[in-house]
Amino acid sequence: QVQFVESGGGSVQPGGSLRLSCTASGISFSIHVMGWYRQAPGKQRELVADITTLGGTNYAESVKGRFTISRDNAKNTVYLQMNSLKLEDTAVYYCNARYITNYWGQGTQVTVSS
């Protein structure tokens, strides 16, 4: 049974920071591309960042220079460090594991407001 435990979401003021974590079980974590997606109200889900099995990273243009994705294969965990948060970063953030099948976490809310 595949499970993801996501944590680290919350409310923060503009310019603040949050760190999201996603710990996976039931999959061979190290062979999966891991990613974070987000979905704001009324918008489509979009890729925020992903990281390959070898540590190569890819970021949405809107978060480059502010967000950092990383993974710890020994802990089956992927992280998203979010700095300089903006109002438009408000969304539900979803953990994703991709190999042959796509797996999704339940989502964690990130709210940026003044």
Side-chain angles (χ1 to χ4, degrees):
Q1 183 179 356
V2 179
Q3 284 189 324
F4 294 105
V5 177
E6 298 171 341
S7 62
S11 296
V12 65
Q13 292 185 334
S17 298
L18 287 172
R19 188 193 196 204
L20 305 183
S21 298
C22 171
T23 300
S25 59
I27 62 171
S28 296
F29 183 85
S30 62
I31 67 172
H32 285 74
V33 175
M34 299 300 300
W36 288 96
Y37 288 70
R38 67 186 180 188
Q39 188 167 19
K43 294 188 176 182
Q44 289 189 333
R45 190 174 297 190
E46 62 176 0
L47 174 69
V48 176
D50 60 21
I51 183 166
T52 69
T53 57
L54 296 179
T57 57
N58 175 50
Y59 294 94
E61 283 295 327
S62 59
V63 307
K64 281 184 179 178
R66 300 188 297 123
F67 291 10
T68 303
I69 190 170
S70 60
R71 64 190 296 163
D72 185 337
N73 289 339
K75 295 182 178 179
N76 285 5
T77 301
V78 61
Y79 304 97
L80 185 68
Q81 177 67 43
M82 304 186 293
N83 298 329
S84 302
L85 282 159
K86 303 177 180 180
L87 296 175
E88 53 264 41
D89 293 319
T90 295
V92 178
Y93 284 70
Y94 296 91
C95 178
N96 171 265
R98 185 171 78 249
Y99 178 52
I100 296 174
T101 303
N102 258 321
Y103 298 103
W104 294 94
Q106 79 282 0
T108 184
Q109 178 70 46
V110 171
T111 302
V112 185
S113 67
S114 54

